[in-house]
Amino acid sequence: MNLYVGTSGYSYKEWKGTFYPGDLPDRQMLHYYAGHFRAVEINNTFHRMPKVSVLEAWASQVPADFKFVLKAPQQITHVQRLQNADDSLSYLLEVAGVLEGRLGPLLFQLPPGLKKDLPRLADFLSLLPPRCRAAFEFRHASWFVDELFDLLHKHRAALCIADAEGDLQVPFVATANWGYFRLRRPDYGDHELNCWVKRLREQYWEDAFVFFKHEEEGKGPQMAKRFMELAEG
């Protein structure tokens, strides 16, 4: 299993002195980050469509086996809510394609108020090219039924297994030959991390992506590093 561990975002000045050297120029953050992790989840693409020039610049700063996961723009997930999104999705796929081998999965995070609508999801999944890896984060409990898991499996899309504070419990269901985790709590000790490592090892996945939350204290990179140490041990 190829393990890609990192954080949600990398360009945080708050991390200087804890993860980044205090005197590191901002323009060198990505290069430094890529020296420690194999992947990053880009969240600013949620707020605006990415630009080719920006993605090309990112790609030039990381090794060939590094993966960028792009969070789908809110235009697709929150405004269009997966409907009539053909043009938006086509543009996203075209632009993301400039990353070539450095492109990881696309993350589609649905709004909490969007309840289960399998026909809507099926129509959207049919727009995705066969080679496109897509992970879906559902934030309403009504989605978590066998019919959803079957639909995702049919399209080789991954159920995003998100662990966060709150009442929503995401079931641990593998719907593809790769997995996607978002570990969103502000702190994980060795016991909690070992539990996640154990669950991950029980899967027969080709690749697994694991991302920790950005927070101002710089614990995200520390937890990501510790997760890798426990997984390798």
Side-chain angles (χ1 to χ4, degrees), residues 118-169:
L118 297 180
R120 177 196 303 249
L121 179 62
D123 289 344
F124 184 79
L125 285 167
S126 69
L127 301 175
L128 294 172
R131 294 185 180 181
C132 175
R133 279 185 169 181
F136 287 82
E137 182 178 357
F138 302 96
R139 295 191 290 167
H140 193 281
S142 62
W143 285 96
F144 302 131
V145 295
D146 289 342
E147 291 82 0
L148 168 72
F149 307 140
D150 292 342
L151 180 60
L152 292 176
H153 183 265
K154 176 183 175 181
H155 290 271
R156 297 183 293 277
L159 172 68
C160 172
I161 300 170
D163 177 54
E165 296 177 306
D167 297 329
L168 184 66
Q169 297 295 315

Side-chain angles (χ1 to χ4, degrees), residues 44-117:
N44 66 19
T45 50
F46 173 75
H47 300 288
R48 62 189 65 85
M49 281 284 185
K51 294 182 178 180
V52 168
S53 59
V54 173
L55 298 190
E56 288 177 337
W58 287 346
S60 69
Q61 299 177 57
V62 300
D65 62 348
F66 188 88
K67 302 296 183 185
F68 290 96
V69 173
L70 304 183
K71 187 175 180 181
Q74 60 183 337
Q75 175 66 25
I76 295 173
T77 55
H78 288 56
V79 178
Q80 295 169 316
R81 296 164 77 91
L82 305 185
Q83 290 184 316
N84 302 314
D86 310 47
D87 292 342
S88 300
L89 179 61
S90 295
Y91 179 81
L92 172 63
L93 294 172
E94 180 181 353
V95 173
V98 305
L99 290 171
E100 299 181 343
R102 295 177 175 85
L103 177 62
L106 300 176
L107 172 65
F108 295 89
Q109 183 191 65
L110 303 190
L114 183 57
K115 299 180 181 180
K116 182 185 68 174
D117 188 336

